Amino acid sequence: SNNGVPADSFIPSCSPTRDPAYRGPWNHYDPDAARALVQKVETALGHPLPAFKLLVPDTDSASRQGAEFFVKQLENVGIHIQPEYATQAHAQERCDSRNFQIYIWGWAAGPDDSTFFMLFDKAQIPSPNLNAGSDIHPRFQALFEQASLIPMSPGRVLMYPELAKLR
């Protein structure tokens, strides 16, 4: 319906710090290639992939619709997802204890793109749990810590394109 712009980075297209020339290696839509990768994995395993569980921290209409959209996208390439709806408190407990396979959680960005980079900050493991995937990348971490010491300014913003490329 042409209502959206496909993502080409985890930094939103409306961000002034986003590099419009950068295209992340994972940011393209190719369901045929994805289906082929799923089939390759299943062949190597000798059986179909199991259904994965998706933790959804609410049962309201928007949460259900978001989960249904996610499930349909992955079903389209042969990955089966079973949503598990929970209260936010229970979902937070499960995230804190790493008792989940996949989760969907909503949040809002801060005044600059540092909010997006916090998702990959090792200091966010396990609490406040923004880096719930426990992702650690030494070069990213060093640059993120350096950027974090600089007040919100053009100097800090100049570091963001490199941070984005490291993720």
Side-chain angles (χ1 to χ4, degrees):
S1 64
N2 284 336
N3 287 334
V5 176
D8 52 24
S9 169
F10 70 93
I11 302 296
S13 59
C14 61
S15 169
T17 66
R18 183 179 156 274
D19 178 357
Y22 176 69
R23 298 291 180 263
W26 57 89
N27 297 102
H28 62 280
Y29 182 70
D30 189 342
D32 293 331
R35 274 190 289 282
L37 285 173
V38 170
Q39 290 171 351
K40 182 178 178 181
V41 168
E42 290 177 337
T43 299
L45 290 173
H47 57 80
L49 288 173
F52 296 98
K53 295 178 182 175
L54 170 68
L55 177 59
V56 184
D58 214 332
T59 59
D60 66 326
S61 178
S63 296
R64 288 186 175 279
Q65 288 175 8
E68 288 170 10
F69 176 80
F70 185 80
V71 167
K72 284 180 184 178
Q73 298 307 302
L74 292 177
E75 290 284 343
N76 185 37
V77 298
I79 298 174
H80 306 288
I81 304 292
Q82 296 173 338
E84 295 181 327
Y85 298 95
T87 64
Q88 287 191 5
H90 182 67
Q92 186 64 56
E93 287 173 6
R94 288 190 50 196
C95 282
D96 287 345
S97 66
R98 303 289 192 260
N99 182 16
F100 65 92
Q101 291 180 323
I102 306 169
Y103 73 98
I104 292 178
W105 210 285
W107 56 280
D112 79 352
D113 290 339
S114 65
T115 311
F116 297 105
F117 298 118
M118 276 191 250
L119 298 173
F120 304 103
D121 176 17
K122 75 177 182 181
Q124 304 296 327
I125 307 167
S127 182
N129 203 23
L130 295 175
N131 186 347
S134 301
D135 179 73
I136 298 173
H137 185 289
R139 174 69 185 127
F140 172 88
Q141 192 63 38
L143 189 60
F144 178 76
E145 289 172 5
Q146 183 182 355
S148 297
L149 296 174
I150 302 170
M152 195 166 60
S153 66
R156 180 162 99 172
V157 167
L158 289 173
M159 302 170 99
Y160 289 168
E162 184 178 352
L163 280 167
K165 289 175 185 170
L166 292 170
R167 303 319 313 150

